[in-house]
Amino acid sequence: MILLQLPEDVLYHILSYLDYKSLSRLSQVCKSIYRFVNRDAVWRRIAKEFLNTGISRDGTDIYPHIPLKERVKIAQNWYNGVCKRAIPLKWKTQLLPWLQLEGDVLFLSQAADIRAYHLRQDSGRLQRNPFEIYSGHNGDVCHFVLTDSHLISGGSEGKILVHSRTSDMSVELSGHNQEVNCLDSKDGLIISGSRDRTTRIWTLTSTYPRHTIPMYDRVWSVAISPTLSSFVTGTACCENFSPLRIWDVERLECVCSLGSEFRRGAGVLDMVFESPFQLFTCGYDTFIRLWDLRINPQKCVMEWEEPHDSALYCIQTDGNHMIASGSSYYGVVRLWDKRQTECLQFFQLSSDPVSSPVYCLRFSSTHLYAALATALHLLDFRQNPIYIR
């Protein structure tokens, strides 16, 4: 009882010296201590050091509705690779599916349609039928992005569709004459890249591109900076210039190129802004690279190499320490700790004779979804860890 009679700020300070095992044992002393130790404020420091607890590097909490102690429990399973595997959805023909995860809704492109599924809280599996289907493309959907008000998709026929998420209305954006490989959209701004070797800048208020930038190479990936002042393009690297270039949104000029030693064919397939100055990229050269846009753009800050020399099709980060990547062979998903250079965990999702890349992956604090050529795979990390009860 003497412990509980201390002022709360003093007690918080004392508990800050304990690791997660000691906190868990302390919580078993009595009900009063259990209630105090279970507070998020006690676990916040520890949560920052674990993978995928929803606490970003700047302190933002992505999952405030889930107690931090529960997230630290699950984070141990991410670190140790403890999970249940499932295949919630299969299809007969080989596709190039894309995913977006928003809360308890998963958006999945299949051929010319994008289907929205509610996720079951008990298992993370998809509800039997989609509650919304976005259609209108004449070819397969290659890529799509979500905003608060719209779903924007690019198809293999070169068409971009802007679907309203609050009505049945959709608008077609005309401009590209070959498949739209990549899209990004923020605050009414849309950037698209295509096999037709152009990048186009659009707004939600116009059906024609505001500007077209000739790239002289196929464009595989684009990303708009969180500041909205610039965007980055990743090309196939088949010409004599860097595949990664930063462009000013207003002046439409190339601000700088990233890197200087890309070999021919080292195309950039995916990129993610983690902050206005931190950019992660991956692609055919088998590396994940971290670029700090505040310092020398000719050299990346850190890099992680895929150990089996496979191209990396997609990446996602948790905003703090974890990176998840999808490889080009046998559906391999890897988990990386940014504080280490070696791969932390890997999961081979496909055992088919015909190898499939992981075309896209998305994760929450408890589940990871990976889209392969003929199936959607699910990894559920909500298992009982050893040390926290």
Side-chain angles (χ1 to χ4, degrees), residues 14-266:
I14 293 172
L15 297 183
S16 69
Y17 288 93
L18 302 183
D19 60 15
Y20 67 94
K21 296 180 186 178
S22 301
L23 279 175
S24 300
R25 291 165 181 153
L26 179 63
S27 69
Q28 298 176 30
V29 171
C30 67
K31 290 183 180 180
S32 298
I33 292 181
Y34 175 84
R35 284 192 292 267
F36 189 91
V37 169
N38 274 16
R39 294 182 184 181
D40 278 2
V42 175
W43 290 89
R44 192 171 184 84
R45 177 191 59 82
I46 293 174
K48 286 182 179 180
E49 299 303 314
F50 277 81
L51 301 182
N52 197 27
T53 57
I55 305 296
S56 62
R57 189 166 296 178
D58 62 4
T60 304
D61 193 343
I62 304 173
Y63 311 112
H65 58 289
I66 306 175
L68 272 177
K69 181 181 177 181
E70 295 302 314
R71 283 183 266 167
V72 171
K73 284 184 184 181
I74 299 168
Q76 294 178 77
N77 294 329
W78 286 89
Y79 188 88
N80 295 316
V82 178
C83 65
K84 286 184 179 179
R85 304 188 187 197
I87 302 178
L89 197 61
K90 290 185 177 182
W91 45 90
K92 293 182 180 180
T93 57
Q94 291 200 5
L95 303 174
L96 280 72
W98 195 255
L99 296 173
Q100 294 291 352
L101 182 61
E102 186 180 70
D104 63 348
V105 177
L106 183 75
F107 296 81
L108 169 67
S109 66
Q110 292 176 274
D113 296 332
I114 300 168
R115 302 168 188 266
Y117 295 88
H118 284 300
L119 301 176
R120 300 180 187 274
Q121 291 187 353
D122 57 342
S123 64
R125 291 174 179 260
L126 284 59
Q127 296 280 5
R128 184 177 183 86
N129 297 313
F131 69 89
E132 190 76 57
I133 298 177
Y134 300 89
S135 57
H137 284 282
N138 300 325
D140 288 356
V141 174
C142 299
H143 198 107
F144 68 91
V145 294
L146 297 174
T147 69
D148 292 339
S149 56
H150 294 86
L151 184 151
I152 305 163
S153 58
S156 60
E157 80 280 42
K159 187 163 61 177
I160 296 174
L161 292 179
V162 179
H163 306 270
S164 171
R165 298 181 62 183
T166 58
S167 68
D168 294 331
M169 293 184 60
S170 63
V171 177
E172 179 180 335
L173 307 184
S174 303
H176 292 293
N177 54 37
Q178 294 188 46
E179 65 188 53
V180 180
N181 295 317
C182 50
L183 285 167
D184 198 11
S185 179
K186 287 183 176 67
D187 198 28
L189 177 69
I190 303 171
I191 308 291
S192 62
S194 171
R195 184 182 283 270
D196 67 8
R197 301 187 171 204
T198 65
T199 294
R200 298 180 190 261
I201 296 92
W202 319 72
T203 61
L204 288 174
T205 57
S206 176
T207 58
Y208 291 94
R210 192 180 79 186
H211 295 288
T212 298
I213 303 175
M215 301 295 294
Y216 308 105
D217 203 352
R218 290 166 292 173
V219 185
W220 291 129
S221 54
V222 295
I224 301 173
S225 168
T227 64
L228 304 177
S229 61
S230 63
F231 63 91
V232 184
T233 57
T235 60
C237 199
C238 294
E239 303 298 332
N240 294 321
F241 47 77
S242 170
L244 277 169
R245 285 178 284 176
I246 303 177
W247 303 82
D248 185 278
V249 169
E250 295 299 327
R251 293 182 287 128
L252 298 177
E253 296 177 354
C254 181
V255 178
C256 67
S257 298
L258 299 179
S260 59
E261 299 180 357
F262 288 95
R263 67 176 186 267
R264 188 176 180 84

Side-chain angles (χ1 to χ4, degrees), residues 2-16:
I2 295 176
L3 187 66
L4 289 174
Q5 291 169 0
L6 293 172
E8 284 197 353
D9 57 338
V10 175
L11 188 52
Y12 280 130
H13 185 71
I14 293 172
L15 297 183
S16 69

Side-chain angles (χ1 to χ4, degrees), residues 344-388:
L344 183 64
Q345 298 293 340
F346 84 97
F347 309 90
Q348 182 176 326
L349 304 182
S350 175
S351 58
D352 297 336
V354 179
S355 174
S356 168
V358 178
Y359 289 109
C360 186
L361 60 79
R362 294 289 183 266
F363 59 78
S364 65
S365 63
T366 55
H367 297 85
L368 184 146
Y369 300 86
L372 277 64
T374 58
L376 175 70
H377 291 255
L378 166 64
L379 301 180
D380 184 351
F381 290 88
R382 296 177 306 168
Q383 309 301 308
N384 289 326
I386 298 173
Y387 296 112
I388 300 182

